[in-house]
Amino acid sequence: CVFLDTSAAVREVDPEATARGGPTLYALCGNERSGCVVTLRQGLVPDVVTEVPLGGIHGMWSLYHRKEEPGSGGEETSFGGADYHAYLLLSKEGTGTMVLETGEELQEVTENSPYITDQPTVAAGNLFNNAGIVQVCPQGLKLYDGMNVI
């Protein structure tokens, strides 16, 4: 819609949208049957599709991992495709860390993972241009390449 009509009515009327992420501007423009309503927002406003309460969680880290291309032969590390969030670490209050692997669904892999799970995680993140993962706990830290300890 192009603002050619000088009789366009412009008004800010949505205080809830302003609280959610910036001012919202509604414009009515056009003539007779060719009129339209235009909504303009400053910034991005996420729509929450689902919400899951996470009681007892005091830290959460989403970690990237790059998978090796099949047939790379192991001589040189060759990564295919883009980086993606592969793991989600949830630090539980005083009891330990839960490890989830992403895919079509989140799958808990705490039992079979090399990650430190008997202590809460203080910090976690990616290193070396997302090729490695570091997990920091009260008793130390570990470096990983996906599910392998470096």
Side-chain angles (χ1 to χ4, degrees), residues 81-101:
D83 294 346
Y84 65 96
H85 289 101
Y87 304 103
L88 185 65
L89 289 166
L90 301 173
S91 183
K92 299 185 277 184
E93 289 181 18
T95 60
T97 299
M98 181 186 299
V99 182
L100 303 170
E101 188 171 28

Side-chain angles (χ1 to χ4, degrees), residues 41-95:
R41 287 193 178 138
Q42 178 182 350
L44 299 174
V45 179
D47 287 330
V48 177
V49 177
T50 185
E51 190 172 322
V52 178
L54 296 173
I57 303 294
H58 77 275
M60 180 173 15
W61 296 270
S62 178
L63 303 167
Y64 287 102
H65 180 252
R66 298 183 293 186
K67 285 198 173 183
E68 292 185 26
E69 266 183 17
S72 64
E75 303 117 13
E76 229 177 271
T77 306
S78 172
F79 296 100
D83 294 346
Y84 65 96
H85 289 101
Y87 304 103
L88 185 65
L89 289 166
L90 301 173
S91 183
K92 299 185 277 184
E93 289 181 18
T95 60

